Amino acid sequence: MDDGEIASVPLLAQSLADWRPVDGETGKIADVAGLTALTEAFPDSSSVKLRLLNAQLQAGEGAAMLDTLNWLNERGYVFSEVARGQIPKLIGEEFAADAAALLLAPSEPVENSEVAWTVPAEAGLVESVLVDVEEGRIAVTSIATRSLWGTTPDGSWRQVELDRADNLTGIVYDRSSGDIWVTSGNVDQSDDDVVYFSGLMSVLKGPQGPRVEAPDNVVLSDLHRADNGTLYASDPLNGGVYFLGPERETIKTLLEPGTLRSPQGLATSEDGKRLYVSDYRYGIAIVDLATRKVSRLSSGVPVILDGTDALFRRGNSLIAIQNGTSPMRISQFELTDDGSRVVAHRILEMAHTQWTEPLSGYLGREALYYIGNGQWDKYVAGELGEGKQLEPTQVRRLPLAD
């Protein structure tokens, strides 16, 4: 498929596949039979396919390896230069030539965005973005400085500190109250002597403004505001999903810890009845908000649905920032009318030469604004690594077609 080309299949009614619970033990499955079953449960996960490929290699199943390599090839997966040299040697002489033919060379970059703002290096590890498109202003959350950074009317940057804030990650604008909410929690797993606040914090009413505590041992990260005013937040460390109703009184559990492995980006469906949640290594889960039943977003076209960090809905499609794939990409998935299945796929950007790690962002009417050069790789348990130097953070603007 050419970059940017839409691949499609007819819109057919499909039954929803149950989401298989995944936990730490699931990640330890290493035998061919177990991983084959896991690929059947999560058929659009490149992470699971790569684990299966390694198990097939260890078991000497060269023919089966070709099938797995073909699956990855069809979805544009690119192995490292070292792996491309080793796999044909390891698979055995009988299958070496066929394996080499399935190993794609590095992809040509797909670059459609431009830098809209540059956040000062002093902001450290920047995670999420909120944009006021009409005013041309922006606010970002910082994990490293435990604060907000935003532009002033004259275009300069200002740091805003919140009382007892921990790592600040998700950020949304609450249209009903005109306020901004952010998530605060020990996302970087630093060993802190100070007791910081964990939960949701209101921003515009001062550094000690309204806030709602998270349940015990819950670390909230990504944040999404539904059209009805409900705030949804994911806990990537413990596998739960939570919500704060429009009354803004108590954070409640939508999915118990351990339901998902590492839930991250969230987006509500067009009709507001379902919540899409990216489970980083396994794919995209669908939560029925009335019953809390969890199912799996499936696909009728060759796609990779895992590796999704940030997730947004645009009409009846999902836009996914996939920094856990190779190459990294920003994808748009067109859905069936019932929102249960991918029927078309478009690459919006891929392997951008200025990326380090694309992170979360803000979806406007005409463009996606996102962090292009995430700096997670420079930190260890909340501390800047030895010899590492911070760079200004690029917030990029990616125009979106109708």
Side-chain angles (χ1 to χ4, degrees):
M1 181 175 67
D2 293 335
D3 294 330
E5 180 184 352
I6 283 286
S8 62
V9 297
L11 274 66
L12 301 175
Q14 300 288 340
S15 60
L16 293 175
D18 287 344
W19 184 270
R20 170 175 170 172
V22 288
D23 54 21
E25 294 303 311
T26 307
K28 296 177 183 178
I29 298 173
D31 62 290
V32 172
L35 288 170
T36 298
L38 200 61
T39 63
E40 292 171 354
F42 302 104
D44 303 301
S45 168
S46 62
S47 300
V48 176
K49 282 289 185 180
L50 289 168
R51 289 168 59 191
L52 175 61
L53 182 71
N54 185 65
Q56 291 167 337
L57 175 61
Q58 298 302 319
E61 298 184 2
M65 282 184 68
L66 291 181
D67 290 338
T68 304
L69 287 173
N70 185 66
W71 186 98
L72 292 163
N73 173 286
E74 289 180 339
R75 289 154 181 79
Y77 188 90
V78 176
F79 286 87
S80 69
E81 182 178 358
V82 171
R84 294 198 305 274
Q86 289 181 337
I87 289 174
K89 297 176 183 178
L90 295 173
I91 196 173
E93 185 176 351
E94 179 183 358
F95 304 105
D98 289 337
L102 292 170
L103 298 173
L104 297 175
S107 304
E108 287 294 323
V110 179
E111 301 182 347
N112 294 315
S113 64
E114 60 183 5
V115 177
W117 290 275
T118 302
V119 187
E122 291 77 15
L125 180 52
V126 175
E127 177 67 12
S128 296
V129 176
L130 179 65
V131 176
D132 184 334
V133 177
E134 293 183 359
E135 296 293 330
R137 296 176 61 184
I138 183 176
V140 300
T141 57
S142 171
I143 287 180
T145 65
R146 297 184 170 92
S147 59
L148 293 173
W149 292 72
T151 54
T152 62
D154 65 4
S156 61
W157 285 90
R158 174 188 173 212
Q159 182 180 7
V160 178
E161 297 182 338
L162 303 175
D163 183 51
R164 295 189 302 114
D166 206 332
N167 307 137
L168 297 185
T169 48
I171 180 170
V172 296
Y173 175 65
D174 185 4
R175 292 192 299 271
S176 60
S177 64
D179 205 351
I180 292 173
W181 287 86
V182 296
T183 48
S184 171
N186 189 19
V187 174
D188 65 7
Q189 293 292 278
S190 54
D191 188 11
D192 302 319
D193 295 329
V194 179
V195 178
Y196 294 106
F197 176 79
S198 179
L200 290 167
M201 310 178 79
S202 171
V203 172
L204 297 184
K205 297 180 182 178
Q208 297 180 338
R211 54 189 62 185
V212 185
E213 288 189 3
D216 291 342
N217 302 315
V218 168
V219 181
L220 301 180
S221 180
D222 285 72
L223 185 61
H224 166 68
R225 182 192 182 277
D227 289 341
N228 67 1
T230 300
L231 301 181
Y232 293 97
S234 57
D235 178 353
L237 302 181
N238 301 296
V241 178
Y242 302 84
F243 68 97
L244 178 64
E247 73 287 345
R248 304 294 186 253
E249 293 179 355
T250 305
I251 294 175
K252 299 179 181 179
T253 302
L254 179 67
L255 297 182
E256 294 287 344
T259 304
L260 306 177
R261 179 59 177 149
S262 183
Q264 303 202 28
L266 313 123
T268 38
S269 60
E270 195 167 18
D271 60 10
K273 295 180 179 180
R274 297 174 302 281
L275 180 70
Y276 296 97
V277 186
S278 64
D279 197 356
Y280 196 68
R281 290 299 179 193
Y282 294 95
I284 298 176
I286 307 174
V287 185
D288 185 306
L289 294 174
T291 65
R292 304 192 184 184
K293 177 180 172 59
V294 185
S295 58
R296 171 177 53 79
L297 179 67
S298 61
S299 179
V301 293
V303 293
I304 291 174
L305 294 181
D306 68 311
T308 297
D309 187 339
L311 193 65
F312 312 90
R313 180 184 57 79
R314 190 168 195 259
N316 198 35
S317 70
L318 294 175
I319 294 178
I321 297 178
Q322 297 181 284
N323 57 28
T325 62
S326 180
M328 292 182 283
R329 61 191 74 176
I330 300 178
S331 303
Q332 184 168 7
F333 303 114
E334 300 291 339
L335 306 178
T336 51
D337 290 341
D338 66 0
S340 68
R341 189 169 177 84
V342 176
V343 293
H345 173 227
R346 185 192 298 274
I347 297 292
L348 302 180
E349 284 201 293
M350 181 169 64
H352 199 294
T353 53
Q354 293 188 43
W355 282 356
T356 55
E357 180 186 29
L359 299 177
S360 190
Y362 171 83
L363 181 63
R365 292 184 178 179
E366 298 179 352
L368 173 68
Y369 301 83
Y370 69 93
I371 295 165
N373 60 329
Q375 302 185 67
W376 271 100
D377 63 319
K378 297 181 179 181
Y379 284 83
V380 179
E383 298 293 332
L384 189 63
E386 184 178 354
K388 301 292 185 180
Q389 183 175 354
L390 291 174
E391 302 290 339
T393 297
Q394 294 181 356
V395 177
R396 307 189 67 88
R397 181 183 185 275
L398 174 62
L400 299 173
D402 292 334

